[in-house]
Amino acid sequence: MERSEIFDIAHQRHPIAAPVAPERLRELIGWLSPSDGARAVDLGCGEGEWLQHLLLDHPGITGVGIDHMLPTTGARRSAERGLSDRVRWIETDAPAWSDGEFDVVLCVGASHAFGGLADMLGAVRRHLRPGGQALVGDSIWESTPSASALAALEVSADAYPDLAGLVRAFHEHGFEPSFGHVSTLAEWDDYQFSWTGSLVDWAVRRAPTTEDRSQALAAARENRDAWLSGARRELGFATFALHDVAAGPTGVTVARTP
Ligand SMILES: C[S@@+](CC[C@H](N)C(=O)[O-])C[C@H]1O[C@@H](n2cnc3c(N)ncnc32)[C@H](O)[C@@H]1O
């Protein structure tokens, strides 16, 4: 099975590919206030739940979802929601893509596509019109990571900041957070067990071949083991609505002091 197939199955019951509950997603999106005619982009959109809820809340705006492995479910759900004429889904490499400036830039759980947090924030700024809004979600450490967490996640301790470090990075890139949400353990468990549960259900009930069944079960076990043997309670996730404050109120860029 292709990795993309495993991911599509794993997200069947949790279309938000991040440890964020649907009501928290809607609350975070509620902090964005694009005017009619605004354009939004979702970098590393996955099924595009963030972008779709932004479009549902603001009937006068349009959006673009960018992902290098676009799941078909995003386009299907946006059609069911009557959004097809206001959204474009583009399958491409996000760091290499550009289409002018956007009023809102979304990037949740996709900083790895840009090589990490700092480069992702740089990309968000490049796509954002001066004075625009962004919504960014990324991994943090909830506590100093243990050796078992680092081994389970196959990262070094400096792979992620703590919550204060994440906010510092926003400031360093000229953003001021308005609302923030730190994912709870319940949101993490729901995300992780939906991920593995969807794969196990599919493997047992619907896999067309024994090889597919074995692969899906192996992927579920590997993910669950990594979660339970280290990452749980140590790996965190935080999502913030951000204002670009490097620009003045008229959209004129203000020189920042070094
Ligand atoms: C953890 S998922 C988050 C998806 C979505 N933002 C959400 O919160 O539901 C990360 C997404 O980034 C996408 N991605 C990773 N590398 C990428 C790249 N180089 N260009 C575009 N998308 C990329 C993956 O395909 C995946 O859909």
Side-chain angles (χ1 to χ4, degrees), residues 15-18 42 44-46 50 66-69 92-95 108-110 112-113:
I16 306 164
D42 190 344
C45 62
W50 298 89
I66 304 294
D67 203 290
H68 69 161
M69 285 191 305
T92 190
D93 185 39
V108 179
H112 57 287

Side-chain angles (χ1 to χ4, degrees), residues 7 11 14-20 25 42-50 66-71 90-96 106-114 191 237:
F7 268 65
H11 286 107
H14 202 297
I16 306 164
V20 179
L25 176 150
D42 190 344
L43 303 170
C45 62
E47 298 189 25
E49 282 294 291
W50 298 89
I66 304 294
D67 203 290
H68 69 161
M69 285 191 305
L70 263 184
I90 301 177
E91 190 165 83
T92 190
D93 185 39
L106 314 171
C107 187
V108 179
S111 63
H112 57 287
F114 300 92
Y191 178 48
F237 194 86

